[in-house]
Amino acid sequence: MSAYRDPGYAGDSHVGRVRSDNEDAFLLAPPLFAVADGLGGHQAGEVASSLAIDTLLENAPRTGDAKALGRAVRRANAAVIEAAAAGRGKSGMGTTLTAVMVEGTRLSVAHVGDSRAYLLHLGTLQQLTDDHSLVADLVRQGRITPEESRVHPNRSVITRALGSDPDMMADAFEAEAAIGDRLLLATDGLTSMVADDEIEAVLATAPTPDAAVNELIDRALSAGGQDNITVVVADIGTHPRASRGSGSARRWAVRVLWVLTALAVIGGAALAARSYARSQAYVIDEAGYVAVYEGVPGVFAGFTMNERSRVTTVPVSALDPITRARLAQGIQVDGLAEALTLVETYRERAAETSPSAGP
Ligand code: MG
């Protein structure tokens, strides 16, 4: 059952090996995730990054809307400027802010600065955001390579941040992910220390978001940890569609609790609970093939609340490592139709890697 206690997302921040303060901040408020990298030194950078995150959360749209998310980032910019003027933090303080709202497979992104959003999409790492930095401009102009930018002496010079220009604009856009993809948000304490191919390898093999976060921070520390390191990882397809608040795992736990309570208090409720469970479905690795079940996995209070619908011809071995790991535990979805749609996605992916996996 451990897979259902894993909320599908995780985040952490580490001061690193060189700095004495951690000026980064992050937000785990599914479907909204964010990281911020504060600038301005002691009692300034951390004020700016925390204030930006708090203001973002207060002003974020209720549903995925990149333009509205961009407006929330601009509101956070105003808040940082107002705070400095009011004597909170220090004048000249600033922060990056990279925010992503996840609804199903739809991503709404708003971004300023050199923190980054990446997507491990079908096993390949894609950088979603463009850095607002001097070295990124040099890379775009073809004057240095991306590898050189990571070690360039001016790599920390950013060209846009919250906290200085009242008319600052945020990049705001939407992107489509796939179920089983993995979202990464990180400050430059990760991306200046760990190369993209190494980040890709960790995201592709870590069994859970929590494991990915820990491994990425460990690697940044091993590489020198020269800056604060902040990492947020969220698996796509595990978040509720149009509501802020609980992740699907919490929703799941509530359902399980509800089922257990119902069974304990009124025996008759068992039938209702079973009928409720039957409105659910999951897909799971069964002897190497993707199988579809109606109900919920496991046994509650002596009742098995699932029934196999079918074992498909889709071989689990043809899927990417994250999907394989998740299938080993079972992937819960809202109903049989959604499970069958998911299977068709897997069938297409399997066909790309192994032409023999026909219908
Ligand atoms: Mg930094």
Side-chain angles (χ1 to χ4, degrees):
M1 290 301 292
S2 63
Y4 301 101
R5 284 199 298 273
D6 170 9
Y9 60 88
D12 201 1
S13 188
H14 194 290
V15 67
R17 294 202 188 282
V18 175
R19 306 285 176 92
S20 55
D21 294 306
N22 192 341
E23 298 178 81
D24 286 359
F26 66 99
L27 175 68
L28 301 176
L32 181 61
F33 302 93
V35 297
D37 181 343
L39 321 155
H42 181 59
Q43 293 185 341
E46 66 267 38
V47 174
S49 61
S50 309
L51 182 58
I53 291 282
D54 292 347
T55 310
L56 172 76
L57 182 58
E58 283 162 18
N59 292 276
R62 306 292 296 180
T63 58
D65 177 342
K67 281 186 181 161
L69 195 59
R71 285 194 293 274
V73 170
R74 295 189 67 187
R75 188 70 201 85
N77 176 51
V80 174
I81 293 171
E82 287 159 16
R88 280 187 287 145
K90 291 177 184 162
S91 77
M93 71 178 178
T95 184
T96 73
L97 184 57
T98 301
V100 179
M101 186 171 268
V102 180
E103 283 190 307
T105 55
R106 193 81 186 145
L107 308 180
S108 303
V109 184
H111 159 75
V112 174
D114 68 348
S115 302
R116 292 179 182 172
Y118 289 87
L119 186 66
L120 185 76
H121 180 56
L122 306 177
T124 302
L125 192 70
Q126 301 176 346
Q127 187 176 329
L128 298 176
T129 49
D130 290 326
D131 293 352
H132 301 135
S133 70
L134 183 67
V135 290
D137 288 346
L138 294 175
V139 170
R140 280 190 283 270
Q141 291 160 13
R143 292 164 63 183
I144 60 172
T145 67
E147 291 68 34
E148 286 166 344
S149 75
R150 287 203 306 116
V151 294
H152 194 282
N154 293 328
R155 65 181 176 275
S156 60
V157 176
I158 59 177
T159 52
R160 207 193 301 176
L162 282 69
S164 53
D165 175 7
D167 296 323
M168 178 211 81
M169 292 301 293
D171 290 351
F173 57 91
E174 295 183 354
E176 190 66 29
I179 290 175
D181 283 0
R182 198 163 252 185
L183 175 72
L184 166 68
L185 305 184
T187 59
D188 66 336
L190 175 72
T191 54
S192 64
M193 291 282 117
V194 183
D196 280 5
D197 58 352
E198 195 174 342
I199 292 174
E200 178 183 87
V202 171
L203 289 176
T205 53
T208 62
D210 190 52
V213 166
N214 291 333
E215 179 69 23
L216 289 170
I217 289 177
D218 283 350
R219 294 203 184 204
L221 290 170
S222 300
Q226 289 179 14
D227 194 0
N228 307 146
I229 307 149
T230 301
V231 179
V232 168
V233 172
D235 281 344
I236 303 301
T238 59
H239 302 285
R241 264 159 224 268
S243 64
R244 175 183 294 171
S246 59
S248 68
R250 191 183 302 170
R251 197 173 45 165
W252 181 271
V254 168
R255 284 174 186 163
V256 169
L257 263 180
W258 180 81
V259 167
L260 287 173
T261 306
L263 287 171
V265 176
I266 316 164
L271 282 174
R274 292 188 78 165
S275 131
Y276 181 76
R278 293 262 161 86
S279 73
Q280 299 294 298
Y282 61 99
V283 293
I284 195 163
D285 179 348
E286 189 158 299
Y289 289 90
V290 178
V292 179
Y293 278 74
E294 292 181 80
V296 294
V299 176
F300 301 116
F303 288 92
T304 301
M305 293 196 189
N306 56 63
E307 186 174 9
R308 188 167 62 206
S309 170
R310 68 203 70 182
V311 179
T312 72
T313 55
V314 180
V316 174
S317 60
L319 299 170
D320 63 272
I322 292 177
T323 305
R324 290 204 300 268
R326 294 183 62 211
L327 280 169
Q329 307 283 346
I331 300 172
Q332 177 222 344
V333 294
D334 288 328
L336 186 60
E338 201 168 310
L340 296 176
T341 304
L342 186 55
V343 166
E344 287 319 301
T345 312
Y346 291 158
R347 188 186 302 285
E348 285 165 22
R349 278 196 229 164
E352 284 169 18
T353 49
S354 138
S356 63

